[in-house]
């Protein structure tokens, strides 16, 4: 069978690729994939390319799990993938190479009964490979992640995302309040799949981008996204990104699913005590974590502390973060409840990995059940995605208007008003004067008098004064 040219060029190296090869004479610079499961005849059904900011993911769809080898060659630089006992069904059409370090892809069967895929790369590349089991959307898969050789991750790679330049507001030189927004799943991981093929990864990315835009245009706030496109970011890497950006809050956006389509409603989660305890132990055991900071910007290093003191400091930090998470989660839940039915009427607690930053308040918002036909249609609607983002935004803003960290512009603005005996409050959708009075423990009559209101009527965006006490 002739060599198939997937991208440009002639079939150079055809005799090498198609002929019998003495593996010991190849001069491999890296041998990563070892035979990793029982061999059987398998079909390569297709493939996909997922360009991410710091690596390229190649996915081959297989009819069953099989053995494989991945290694590199130089002069010219190539990544070679040999799939044991495999044959290509149809055509391996892989688009989007122009955004990657891959120049072209060549394929051919080998005399040993294997199937070879050769990636001609434009620079030295360090591949990492593994098999994935079937999920809702795909069957068995072979995944090869291509990193530049000088940027290969030792354990977990921290995705590089476009940084958002910190805004400076007024002439106060107070820092922005930084909120990291995490769109769940992505790339080869579609998340839950609803009726009509609605994918969680697409829904939550759309909501996250809407939320990021709302946050970033608000004076004193800065938004960051853990992913900006359709690619996967590891769970621990999402929290690493929050730490990299010195986040004041981490918000992970998801859409729930259940085996019964009747399940419905939004939920908000914070970290459970059990999850916090296990994470404390993990941090204390890891030397790279002990040397890290707790307490956010200008926090405390654990590297020079003995075991007991480090444990106490870390436990205090985790306890404070969990308390803040529950407070933020409660405001977000109430706000989301004005645009969606709630699955649970209080903030739930669970051991989600993405909630386990010891010094960053973190919440996970389940925006609805994508497995419910009615909610799936809503979640796939741009109008509803915007409403959900606005609801989450209002909850966050309501919390931080009272609890903004010291040193931020939002806290400075609040404290400046308190010096005059008042605190400025911007009316949000769903606010009523009586509800504000109840929340701030001030009478409605007093609020009307302070603000010169002739009635209880208020408008979204209106700013009123509330007694600072």
């Amino acid at each position: 069978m002739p060599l198939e040219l997937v991208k440009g060029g002639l079939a150079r190296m055809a005799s090498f690729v198609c002929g019998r090869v003495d593996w010991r004479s190849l001069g491999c610079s890296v041998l990563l994939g070892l035979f990793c499961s029982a061999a059987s005849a398998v079909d390569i059904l297709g493939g996909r390319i997922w360009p991410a900011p710091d690596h390229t993911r190649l996915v081959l769809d297989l009819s069953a799990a099989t053995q494989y080898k991945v290694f590199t060659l130089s002069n010219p630089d190539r990544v070679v993938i040999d799939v044991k006992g495999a044959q290509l069904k149809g055509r391996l059409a892989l688009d989007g190479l122009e955004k990657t370090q891959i120049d072209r892809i060549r394929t051919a069967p080998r005399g040993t009964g294997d199937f070879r895929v050769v990636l001609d790369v434009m620079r030295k590349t360090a591949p990492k490979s593994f098999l994935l089991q079937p999920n809702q959307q795909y069957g068995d898969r072979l995944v090869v992640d291509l990193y530049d050789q000088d940027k290969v991750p030792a354990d977990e790679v921290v995705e590089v995302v476009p940084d958002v330049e910190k805004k400076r507001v007024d002439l106060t030189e107070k820092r922005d309040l930084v909120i990291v927004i995490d769109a769940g799943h992505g790339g080869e991981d579609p998340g839950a799949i609803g009726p009509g093929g609605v994918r969680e990864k697409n829904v939550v990315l759309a909501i996250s981008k809407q939320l990021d835009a709302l946050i970033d245009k608000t004076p004193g706030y800065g938004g960051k996204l853990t992913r900006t496109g359709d690619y996967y970011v590891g769970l621990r890497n999402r929290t690493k990104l929050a730490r990299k950006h010195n986040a004041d809050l981490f918000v992970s956006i998801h859409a729930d699913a259940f085996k019964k389509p009747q399940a419905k409603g939004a939920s908000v989660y914070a970290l459970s005590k059990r999850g916090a305890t296990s994470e404390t132990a993990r941090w204390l055991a890891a030397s790279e974590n002990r040397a890290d900071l707790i307490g956010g910007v200008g926090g405390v290093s654990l590297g020079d502390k003995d075991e007991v003191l480090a444990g106490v400091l870390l436990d205090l930090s985790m306890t404070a973060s969990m308390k803040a998470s529950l407070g933020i989660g409660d405001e977000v839940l109430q706000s989301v409840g004005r645009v969606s039915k709630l699955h649970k009427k209080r903030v739930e607690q669970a051991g989600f990995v993405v909630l386990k930053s010891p010094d960053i308040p973190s919440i996970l918002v389940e925006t609805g059940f994508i497995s419910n036909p009615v909610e799936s249609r809503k979640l796939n609607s741009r109008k509803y995605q915007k409403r959900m983002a606005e609801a989450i935004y209002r909850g966050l803003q309501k919390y931080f208007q009272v609890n903004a960290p010291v040193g931020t512009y939002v806290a400075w603005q609040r404290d400046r008003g308190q010096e005059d005996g008042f605190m400025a409050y911007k009316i949000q959708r769903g606010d009523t004067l009586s509800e504000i009075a109840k929340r701030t423990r001030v009478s409605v009559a007093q609020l009307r008098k302070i603000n010169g209101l002739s009635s209880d009527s208020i408008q979204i965006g209106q700013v009123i004064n509330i007694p600072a006490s």
Side-chain angles (χ1 to χ4, degrees), residues 174-244:
K174 304 296 181 183
R175 74 171 180 87
D176 281 354
L177 197 155
V178 179
I179 298 175
V180 169
I181 307 148
D182 172 49
H185 309 282
E188 194 63 15
D189 176 14
I193 300 177
V198 178
R199 288 167 173 76
E200 180 182 2
K201 66 174 183 177
N202 298 330
V203 168
V204 299
L205 181 60
I207 294 172
S208 297
K209 286 183 174 180
Q210 292 271 11
L211 178 58
D212 178 59
L214 289 168
I215 288 171
D216 214 38
K217 72 180 182 181
T218 305
Y221 288 78
K224 315 275 186 181
L225 289 163
T226 59
R227 69 178 178 97
T228 57
D230 189 13
Y231 52 87
Y232 183 73
V233 181
L235 297 179
R236 292 283 180 188
N237 294 337
R238 296 169 191 255
T239 59
K240 284 183 179 180
L241 280 169
R243 297 184 59 73
K244 171 189 171 186

Side-chain angles (χ1 to χ4, degrees), residues 425 427 431-434 436-437 442-459 462-466:
Y425 177 75
I427 303 300
D431 278 343
T432 64
L433 205 63
S434 60
I436 294 171
V442 179
S443 69
V444 173
Q446 194 175 1
L447 286 178
R448 283 202 302 261
K449 181 178 180 181
I450 290 169
N451 293 281
L453 302 175
S454 57
S455 69
D456 293 354
S457 177
I458 51 178
Q459 297 180 340
Q462 179 181 353
V463 177
I464 64 173
N465 289 320
I466 299 171

Side-chain angles (χ1 to χ4, degrees), residues 198-345:
V198 178
R199 288 167 173 76
E200 180 182 2
K201 66 174 183 177
N202 298 330
V203 168
V204 299
L205 181 60
I207 294 172
S208 297
K209 286 183 174 180
Q210 292 271 11
L211 178 58
D212 178 59
L214 289 168
I215 288 171
D216 214 38
K217 72 180 182 181
T218 305
Y221 288 78
K224 315 275 186 181
L225 289 163
T226 59
R227 69 178 178 97
T228 57
D230 189 13
Y231 52 87
Y232 183 73
V233 181
L235 297 179
R236 292 283 180 188
N237 294 337
R238 296 169 191 255
T239 59
K240 284 183 179 180
L241 280 169
R243 297 184 59 73
K244 171 189 171 186
H245 293 309
N246 294 319
D248 297 289
L249 174 66
F250 178 88
V251 183
S252 193
I253 309 296
H254 288 258
D256 222 333
F258 193 62
K259 58 186 177 182
K260 295 181 179 179
Q262 291 84 4
K264 61 183 178 181
S267 308
V268 176
Y269 287 86
L271 183 63
S272 68
K273 181 61 180 174
R274 179 177 295 179
T277 301
S278 65
E279 190 66 7
T280 299
R282 196 185 81 90
W283 268 69
L284 288 172
S287 58
E288 69 272 17
N289 288 338
R290 288 180 60 87
D292 214 333
L293 295 178
I294 63 171
V297 180
V300 181
S301 171
L302 300 179
D304 58 348
K305 307 297 187 296
D306 65 39
E307 195 73 20
V308 174
L309 180 56
V312 170
L313 290 172
L314 192 56
D315 187 59
L316 286 171
S317 179
M318 187 73 89
T319 300
S321 293
M322 285 176 60
K323 183 178 179 181
S325 300
L326 289 169
I328 297 165
D330 187 59
E331 291 290 4
V332 170
L333 189 68
Q334 290 183 44
S335 184
V336 167
R338 297 189 178 105
V339 301
S340 168
K341 289 184 178 295
L342 295 178
H343 186 62
K344 299 286 186 180
K345 294 187 178 180

